[in-house]
Amino acid sequence: MASEGPVTRRVQVAEYPRLVKLKEMFNSKFGSIPKFYVRAPGRVNIIGEHIDYCGYSVLPMAVEQDMLIAVEPVKTHTLCLSNTNPLYPDFSISANNIQIDKTKPLWYNYFLCGFKGIQVELAEICAKSERYIGTEGGGMDQSISFLAEEGTAKLIEFSPLRATDVKLPSGAVFVIANSCVEMNKAATSHFNIRVMECRLAAKLLAKYKGLQWDKVLQLEEVQGRLGISLEEMQAVTEDALHSEPYSQEEICRCLGISLEELRTQILSPNTQDVLIFKLYQRAKHVYSEAARVFQFKKICEEAPDNTVQLLGELMNQSHRSCRDMYECSCPELDQLVDICRKFGAEGSRLTGAGWGGCTVSIVPADKLSSFLASVSEAYYQRSGRNLAPEKESLFATKPGGGALVFLEA
């Protein structure tokens, strides 16, 4: 496993154009020179969507694209934040009185979440830092950001946090395509409702199997306590849950609790007013997706002749489940996935929270050039979605390294 903190590296800033530009902008804004720089890689989840917060392993990789931050320690208690993008206004706040408004996910709130989180263990507790913004997420993004190593994807497992190398097939590349639909998971209730639906499904499944359901929070806990396979858990889900949505009243009847107990002891503040919950669909997705993660890893290890096709089919299954069972896709993502498959991807799926954002596709290396050209024309140029620079909307990538701290040599 890689180290749990970022690596420190001394560099000649003049050799890195992006650092030079950042240094100049910092000096122009604050009248001083940064003492150090921080790099955080972009991440893409190859497979294993919406299951980390259910306790299950995921299979992401860091990408070569990244974010850079210039930093200067100050002797005052005031944090001064500035963004190189002029669309995002400057912000300052007293470090002794940080209040984060969960109803307004402004850009600087994400920095403030990390600032509050540095008093805890980095890789494992960074997941908790995100919850200051109001998102009940898992730990996939934070973990791969710290644990990534160049040239390999990682199987990320939780409780305890650990990472295992997964060698991706050499005959294929992964291509990221932006749907150009923005979705801020902290600004909507979609994400947190899914988290709560999984939690409720876990409790009903536990009650059905005679477990102590009130202590259960994650679907993985049910499987772990029963000691059965993921395939068997899908069968239990079929037996225990019905496909029609559950009302709050029905959930209370199943668990033998009052509405007041449900709302105050189980539901989060931003899900207390939700009227129906799709428990069967969410549990089916989680258990099947968790199985796909291990199938993906196994295929990569065994490396049969049709590895790329087999991995592509798992990615296609994942997207169908995200679209139909978890309902976290959107028309643009579905269209982009179809286009990617049409022009040479063996598999394509949404990646990230969904409801917008990006797709990831596995493409045979010898088809990459024609794939990029065809997808660019079919999705971006014909629809007028080429407002963003194309290299930021559609690009091939390979596994990159984790977080770094740069010191000027």
Side-chain angles (χ1 to χ4, degrees), residues 338-353:
D338 289 342
I339 287 173
C340 289
R341 293 175 187 164
K342 177 181 177 181
F343 290 111
E346 291 292 342
S348 185
R349 59 180 295 276
L350 66 84
T351 185

Side-chain angles (χ1 to χ4, degrees), residues 47-51 194 198 234 278 280-293 313-330 334 337 341 348-350 352-355:
I47 198 162
E49 218 62 72
H50 285 282
I51 62 174
R194 297 302 186 278
C198 291
Q234 293 182 60
K278 295 186 177 182
Y280 167 83
Q281 291 85 347
R282 310 318 184 215
K284 284 284 285 186
H285 166 76
V286 170
Y287 288 130
S288 64
E289 186 78 348
R292 282 187 284 272
V293 169
E313 179 51 35
L314 287 175
M315 294 172 70
N316 293 336
Q317 292 173 15
S318 174
H319 184 78
R320 288 194 291 270
S321 184
C322 285
R323 181 191 65 200
D324 300 336
M325 303 304 284
Y326 221 73
E327 297 178 281
C328 60
S329 189
C330 67
D334 294 337
V337 162
R341 293 175 187 164
S348 185
R349 59 180 295 276
L350 66 84
W355 299 287

Side-chain angles (χ1 to χ4, degrees), residues 45-56:
N45 196 17
I46 300 174
I47 198 162
E49 218 62 72
H50 285 282
I51 62 174
D52 56 342
Y53 53 79
C54 295
Y56 282 109

Side-chain angles (χ1 to χ4, degrees), residues 7 17 42 129 208 310 312 342 344 346 378:
V7 175
S129 301
Y208 176 80
L310 293 174
K342 177 181 177 181
E346 291 292 342

Side-chain angles (χ1 to χ4, degrees), residues 254-325:
C254 292
L255 297 179
I257 60 175
S258 67
L259 274 173
E260 180 66 15
E261 288 173 312
L262 174 67
R263 290 172 179 165
T264 60
Q265 297 179 25
I266 298 178
L267 298 181
S268 59
N270 51 15
T271 60
Q272 289 176 355
D273 295 327
V274 177
L275 298 179
I276 60 170
F277 299 90
K278 295 186 177 182
L279 308 187
Y280 167 83
Q281 291 85 347
R282 310 318 184 215
K284 284 284 285 186
H285 166 76
V286 170
Y287 288 130
S288 64
E289 186 78 348
R292 282 187 284 272
V293 169
F294 289 107
Q295 291 165 10
F296 196 101
K297 177 177 180 287
K298 185 172 185 286
I299 292 169
C300 287
E301 290 172 342
E302 295 177 349
D305 292 340
N306 59 340
T307 289
V308 176
Q309 291 82 4
L310 293 174
L311 298 182
E313 179 51 35
L314 287 175
M315 294 172 70
N316 293 336
Q317 292 173 15
S318 174
H319 184 78
R320 288 194 291 270
S321 184
C322 285
R323 181 191 65 200
D324 300 336
M325 303 304 284

Side-chain angles (χ1 to χ4, degrees), residues 188-248:
T188 68
S189 60
H190 300 314
F191 189 90
N192 286 338
I193 289 173
R194 297 302 186 278
V195 176
M196 189 53 59
E197 287 173 320
C198 291
R199 185 173 300 173
L200 290 169
K203 289 182 179 298
L204 264 67
L205 289 170
K207 179 73 179 297
Y208 176 80
K209 297 299 289 186
L211 303 176
Q212 190 176 359
W213 65 266
D214 56 320
K215 302 297 184 182
V216 169
L217 294 176
Q218 297 179 320
L219 286 164
E220 188 278 333
E221 295 176 66
V222 183
Q223 182 201 359
R225 294 184 188 188
L226 292 177
I228 61 178
S229 69
L230 284 163
E231 290 71 23
E232 289 172 310
M233 274 311 307
Q234 293 182 60
V236 171
T237 301
E238 293 281 355
D239 294 337
L241 303 176
H242 56 66
S243 60
E244 295 78 21
Y246 286 74
S247 66
Q248 289 193 7

